[in-house]
């Protein structure tokens, strides 16, 4: 049985970690914390685990209020959604790279034509 003091300490720590995640999100525009940031990464994993437990109807420390706070900053609960998002971003960047490469090739062709026409004058 948990005492009120233990619950208050857990809530305090949870709020500190939420603050760290909010700061990360405001700096980077997402909540996908890299594993190098071990403490926050572990906390995020625990939140996903607790959310899954809640969804399965098991005892969970994930309250409605905590879920709401995480949703408000765009927290992604499912790792698959993160992977799809990364794949989508990667594809967009790759498409941009192809466009730049094609533009470069066109500019290079135009440069050769100008250079060749200057030689023949």
């Amino acid at each position: 049985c948990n005492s009120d003091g233990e619950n208050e300490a857990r809530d305090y720590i949870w709020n500190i970690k939420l603050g760290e995640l909010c700061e990360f999100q405001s700096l980077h525009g997402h909540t996908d914390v890299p594993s190098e940031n071990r403490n926050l990464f572990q906390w995020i994993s625990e939140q996903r685990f607790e959310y899954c437990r809640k969804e399965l109807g098991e005892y969970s420390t994930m309250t409605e209020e905590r879920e709401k706070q995480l949703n408000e900053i765009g927290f992604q609960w499912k790792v698959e959604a993160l992977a799809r998002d990364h794949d989508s971003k990667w594809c967009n960047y790759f498409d941009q790279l192809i466009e730049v490469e094609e533009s470069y090739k066109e500019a290079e062709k135009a440069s050769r034509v100008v250079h060749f026409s200057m030689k023949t004058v």
Side-chain angles (χ1 to χ4, degrees):
C1 197
N2 291 332
S3 71
D4 287 339
E6 286 178 22
N7 288 335
E8 286 177 22
R10 284 194 183 108
D11 287 344
Y12 179 76
I13 292 168
W14 194 91
N15 286 318
I16 288 173
K17 291 298 182 187
L18 177 63
E20 290 176 20
L21 183 59
C22 287
E23 186 176 330
F24 180 92
Q25 194 278 341
S26 68
L27 288 172
H28 302 283
H30 59 81
T31 59
D32 185 19
V33 175
S35 59
E36 291 80 29
N37 187 338
R38 289 191 189 279
N39 289 332
L40 191 53
F41 183 83
Q42 178 63 36
W43 183 81
I44 287 171
S45 297
E46 289 169 12
Q47 302 319 300
R48 288 189 179 119
F49 177 73
E50 291 297 327
Y51 177 80
C52 288
R53 290 181 67 174
K54 180 181 173 218
E55 291 292 300
L56 293 171
E58 298 176 6
Y59 170 79
S60 172
T61 60
M62 182 55 60
T63 63
E64 294 295 324
E65 179 62 25
R66 287 179 175 183
E67 184 179 344
K68 180 181 171 225
Q69 288 175 297
L70 289 167
N71 284 333
E72 286 174 352
I73 61 168
F75 187 77
Q76 292 186 316
W77 296 100
K78 307 278 188 217
V79 176
E80 297 84 28
L82 278 173
R84 276 195 307 277
D85 189 41
H86 281 294
D87 288 347
S88 175
K89 286 179 184 173
W90 188 91
C91 288
N92 287 337
Y93 289 134
F94 186 75
D95 289 344
Q96 290 175 13
L97 178 63
I98 296 298
E99 289 175 19
V100 168
E101 182 183 31
E102 288 172 357
S103 296
Y104 177 77
K105 286 179 181 177
E106 289 299 317
E108 191 176 31
K109 283 180 191 174
S111 173
R112 281 193 214 139
V113 169
V114 169
H115 184 70
F116 177 75
S117 62
M118 290 179 75
K119 282 184 174 180
T120 59
V121 173

